[in-house]
Every structure is written in C-alpha cells, then in structure tokens.
Amino acid sequence: MAGMSDTPRPIAAVLDWRWLWHAARVALVSAYLIGGVQKFMDFPSAIAEQAHFGLEPAALWAAAAIAVELIGSVLVIANRFVWLGAGALGVLTLVAMLAANDFWHMSGHDRFMALNAFFEHLGLIAGLVLVSIISRRTHRA
C-alpha cells in the first residue's frame, strides 16, 4: 500500500504501521465487546433492554446478544473467521437498528436522532463488511 502515489508519505507510514490493522479491528468491535461484558455482568438489565425494544423472549435475545457480541468480537480481533464474527455482529446490528431506530414512525427531534443513529449503525455494518473483505484478501495474499 505504501507504493500508491496518491498517498502522502507520512500517511503511508501510519497506514503501514505494524499494529494499525490490529488496533483498527479492536476499535471497530470495542462497543460490542464492552456491551457484551456489561450485559453478561448485569443480565437482568440486558433482559430489560431487549424487552424495552419489543424483542421477546427477552432472556433469549439477551443471551444471544451477549454470545454474538463477545464471540464475534473475539473472532474479529483474532483475525480468524472474521467473516463469521463480523457477519454475526452485522446481523445483530441490523436487528438492533430496526428495533431501536424506527425513525419512520417518529417526527421532530426524535426522528432526527433516530435517523442519525440508524445511518451510523449502517456505517458500522459497512465497516464490518470492509474488515471481512480486507481480512479475506490478506489471508489469500
């Protein structure tokens, strides 16, 4: 990548930094990792969160969210079966964004906030797709 003529040398040096690929994967899944640990440590609140968004049976949804957040994050961080970990996190994010950010039923400020959150989550799903693509290409190379 450093040989690309459109990338300034200082930027190329940062992009070529040995630990950047690992640090970026950790950062990408950090919210899932922290969320999974928090839900695991306070399972009643995790159940209440799922029930709040109408996901029933709430205990099953909470357990599934914890498993996906923790296992998916570890797979992405470890750079193993990234397609599986990122895919599971992407599906979880899609379910969450549809359940929690239903801007099409809102108006005013609430709609504004939900619309922004919806597309932020869509961007996160795109990041998970991109990390899967990059991981696949680096493993093939």
Side-chain angles (χ1 to χ4, degrees), residues 84-107:
L84 179 61
L89 292 169
V91 169
L92 177 71
T93 303
L94 180 64
V95 169
M97 69 191 254
L98 292 173
N101 300 305
D102 57 342
F103 63 89
W104 51 91
H105 290 127
M106 300 174 181
S107 61

Side-chain angles (χ1 to χ4, degrees), residues 6-102:
D6 64 340
T7 306
R9 276 195 181 148
I11 302 301
V14 171
L15 294 175
D16 290 339
W17 182 50
R18 181 174 186 218
W19 291 98
L20 185 61
W21 173 229
H22 180 73
R25 291 192 322 273
V26 171
L28 179 63
V29 300
S30 61
Y32 297 108
L33 198 56
I34 291 167
V37 169
Q38 285 184 310
K39 287 176 181 76
F40 181 78
M41 300 299 286
D42 187 359
F43 194 65
S45 290
I47 294 170
E49 177 186 40
Q50 303 304 315
H52 171 77
F53 292 116
L55 299 170
E56 294 293 339
L60 180 62
W61 278 99
I66 292 167
V68 168
E69 287 179 334
L70 296 178
I71 296 168
S73 295
V74 168
L75 291 174
V76 171
I77 291 169
N79 202 25
R80 299 288 182 254
F81 298 100
V82 175
W83 63 270
L84 179 61
L89 292 169
V91 169
L92 177 71
T93 303
L94 180 64
V95 169
M97 69 191 254
L98 292 173
N101 300 305
D102 57 342

